[in-house]
Amino acid sequence: MKNRLKAIALSAVFLCVSAFVPLTASAAARYELPFDLNVASYLLVSLDTGEVIFEKDADVQRTPASLTKLLTTYVAMKYVDDLDAATITARTKHTDELYGMNSSHADIRSGETLTIRQLLYAMMLPSGNEAANMVEDYIANGSRYNFSMLMNTEAKKLGCTNTNFSNPHGLFSDNHYTTAWDMYYIAKACYETPGFMDIATTVHYYMPANYRHQNKYLITSTISMQNTGSSYYRDYIRGMKTGSLPEAGHNFISVCESNGEKYILVVMGAEYVDVNGNELKSPAFDATAAIMDYFFDEYTLKPANSLDAPVTEVTMKYVKGKDNLLLYPKSEVYSVLPNGVDESSFQKVFNLPEEVYAPINAGDVIGTVSYYIAGDLVGTADLISAESYERDTLIFLVEKLGEIVSSLYFKVVVAVTAVLVIAFLAFRYYVGKKYEKMQKIHRTKR
């Protein structure tokens, strides 16, 4: 129950924080791994905060191999209205390209009719290349050029800047490339697509009995790390896709979840020989386990604030017996930190007025606080009043009178008035003296 509540809280946090932490391919990794891996590129990003945790050559072009099928699946789920109603029949053209290549398949045979949803399972689990060709055929009416254009257009919409896909399955082509960063954007979009993770986290799936299959048959995910019977199994793995070619090495993109915290890890170009020269069967799984076992042991999401604790205070005026207003964060801000570090490591930068004036209502936004770690912005939260305060009329009038009396305008008015009064009195004195003098002259003449 505790982990479930934390997961709900972190989901809400992500909605708040992500708006303040823009993630680009230039974002620097917060930490470094203390060990070497025989991997060309890797990238670990928090789905809760958008922080880049670990990174190596994530903006260098790589061959994606079957990671390509993530974008193929994304396009299908976006452009096919009903995955269960849309069907296509397998033809020899869907397999001719694959003949003699020992490529991965889902044993779909010519003449068999399948739904697009079934083809997505066939693509995502055993990485069926013929299934990818069938999806391409359905969406682009058999035009590889048009489907590739659609894939690349969608990739650009997702933020990819160094990607070009020339086929739906990922078989090697000089004009078929991407980066770990761009694959993160694609994987994140897939993760956020309703229904995608249901497919990506499936270990076993039954394909239906069909024209060439008298009985339903089982297909299995290539992700051994989510298979409890595998030596690679890790309970934090939640899908998503593998890919391998001689030109690519072993690739694996995974969603990793523990204690309600969620991350996407992209591993590309894992060599089949480790740094010590030992041969590896599934090097991207070994690298994923090494990175995530270490990470979950040493780091965790920690709050920079608490909704129940005031962050700062400002001067408050016109309230009897209350001179300062306590300000509380409207939303929680989290960041990934080493286990031995607490919230005192966050630097706070405030944007606040010098003073506030009653009346003030509970929930009124007074200003903001931005949280930084080592100079990097983690997130920003509005600062609000937790209580309502009415204006004291007497204090308001007295202070306003005091402000008026002490103001430069009032002093100028008083000075001018004083000058005018003195001038008036002087004038009256002058007129009076002149009148007396004239009276004396008049009496003398008489």
Side-chain angles (χ1 to χ4, degrees):
M1 177 61 75
K2 180 179 179 182
N3 290 345
R4 184 180 179 187
L5 291 175
K6 184 176 181 182
I8 294 172
L10 291 180
S11 296
V13 167
F14 177 61
L15 293 176
C16 297
V17 175
S18 62
F20 298 99
V21 187
L23 190 57
T24 65
S26 61
R30 180 67 52 78
Y31 307 106
E32 291 185 5
L33 289 173
F35 49 80
D36 293 326
L37 292 169
N38 205 6
V39 172
S41 299
Y42 56 75
L43 179 68
L44 177 64
V45 181
S46 167
L47 281 171
D48 299 303
T49 68
E51 294 171 283
V52 182
I53 313 302
F54 303 128
E55 183 268 344
K56 175 187 176 183
D57 292 337
D59 57 352
V60 177
Q61 284 184 7
R62 306 290 177 202
T63 299
S66 285
L67 298 185
T68 303
K69 296 184 178 81
L70 287 175
L71 187 56
T72 303
T73 301
Y74 174 79
V75 168
M77 298 186 80
K78 181 174 181 178
Y79 286 95
V80 178
D81 292 333
D82 189 335
L83 298 175
D84 297 304
T87 61
I88 186 170
T89 300
R91 301 291 182 231
T92 55
K93 66 177 182 177
H94 299 134
T95 56
D96 285 349
E97 174 190 13
L98 314 175
Y99 183 77
M101 298 186 66
N102 194 30
S103 72
S104 56
H105 62 85
D107 197 24
I108 299 172
R109 302 175 186 179
S110 180
E112 296 186 334
T113 300
L114 295 165
T115 68
I116 298 300
R117 187 181 302 278
Q118 290 164 345
L119 292 176
L120 298 188
Y121 277 98
M123 274 200 301
M124 290 295 296
L125 272 62
S127 202
N129 290 326
E130 79 277 42
N133 282 339
M134 291 173 70
V135 169
E136 174 190 73
D137 191 5
Y138 179 87
I139 294 175
N141 294 319
S143 171
R144 173 146 300 177
Y145 175 81
N146 287 343
F147 190 76
S148 297
M149 288 287 289
L150 180 59
M151 292 177 77
N152 292 324
T153 298
E154 290 301 320
K156 288 179 180 178
K157 289 180 183 178
L158 297 177
C160 300
T161 59
N162 202 2
T163 289
N164 188 78
F165 286 169
S166 58
N167 61 61
H169 40 60
L171 291 179
F172 181 75
S173 166
D174 288 334
N175 199 34
H176 194 89
Y177 56 83
T178 188
T179 66
W181 261 113
D182 284 0
M183 284 311 310
Y184 163 76
Y185 292 133
I186 293 169
K188 184 172 180 289
C190 289
Y191 175 82
E192 294 171 348
T193 299
F196 173 85
M197 290 303 290
D198 293 335
I199 299 173
T201 56
T202 298
V203 177
H204 302 292
Y205 179 80
Y206 277 99
M207 296 291 284
N210 216 306
Y211 174 66
R212 302 284 295 276
H213 285 91
Q214 293 185 353
N215 301 302
K216 64 181 181 180
Y217 64 98
L218 188 69
I219 57 175
T220 300
S221 171
T222 59
I223 305 174
S224 300
M225 294 191 77
Q226 64 179 2
N227 188 340
T228 55
S230 170
S231 60
Y232 291 106
Y233 175 73
R234 292 293 189 279
D235 61 1
Y236 50 73
I237 295 294
R238 304 288 185 270
M240 151 179 308
K241 190 69 187 77
T242 62
S244 61
L245 281 174
E247 299 87 352
H250 193 207
N251 301 333
F252 180 38
I253 297 180
S254 56
V255 174
C256 305
E257 180 180 353
S258 180
N259 295 324
E261 303 174 20
K262 299 181 180 68
Y263 302 86
I264 285 182
L265 174 61
V266 180
V267 173
M268 298 188 72
E271 299 289 343
Y272 286 90
V273 176
D274 67 15
V275 293
N276 298 315
N278 301 312
E279 291 188 6
L280 302 172
K281 181 181 178 182
S282 300
F285 294 161
D286 293 312
T288 297
I291 293 170
M292 297 312 300
D293 287 353
Y294 167 76
F295 174 77
F296 284 129
D297 283 344
E298 299 295 330
Y299 297 87
T300 190
L301 272 178
K302 296 187 178 182
N305 56 17
S306 169
L307 301 183
D308 299 323
V311 177
T312 188
E313 60 184 34
V314 293
T315 300
M316 180 170 59
K317 304 190 71 174
Y318 313 143
V319 178
K320 186 176 181 179
K322 190 78 173 178
D323 297 325
N324 295 309
L325 175 66
L326 295 177
L327 299 179
Y328 293 77
K330 185 177 181 179
S331 59
E332 290 180 307
V333 173
Y334 279 77
S335 181
V336 176
L337 295 176
N339 289 333
V341 176
D342 58 28
E343 65 181 55
S344 63
S345 299
F346 291 93
Q347 297 86 46
K348 295 186 280 288
V349 176
F350 295 99
N351 182 14
L352 294 169
E354 292 185 3
E355 54 189 16
V356 294
Y357 310 97
I360 294 171
N361 297 316
D364 282 354
V365 176
I366 308 301
T368 63
V369 56
S370 296
Y371 296 91
Y372 292 81
I373 288 288
D376 295 329
L377 177 64
V378 173
T380 298
D382 287 336
L383 293 176
I384 63 173
S385 171
E387 300 180 23
S388 297
Y389 296 93
E390 296 296 329
R391 175 189 295 168
D392 187 295
T393 304
L394 180 60
I395 294 177
F396 174 73
L397 293 175
V398 170
E399 292 211 17
K400 281 298 181 183
L401 181 59
E403 292 173 5
I404 292 172
V405 170
S406 62
S407 69
L408 177 62
Y409 175 78
F410 181 80
K411 292 176 181 178
V412 170
V413 170
V414 169
V416 170
T417 302
V419 169
L420 291 175
V421 169
I422 292 171
F424 175 73
L425 293 175
F427 177 74
R428 285 197 62 181
Y429 177 78
Y430 168 76
V431 171
K433 286 295 185 179
K434 188 173 183 179
Y435 178 77
E436 289 179 4
K437 184 177 180 181
M438 291 181 66
Q439 287 293 327
K440 287 180 180 181
I441 295 172
H442 181 70
R443 284 195 296 268
T444 302
K445 288 181 178 182
R446 292 174 66 184

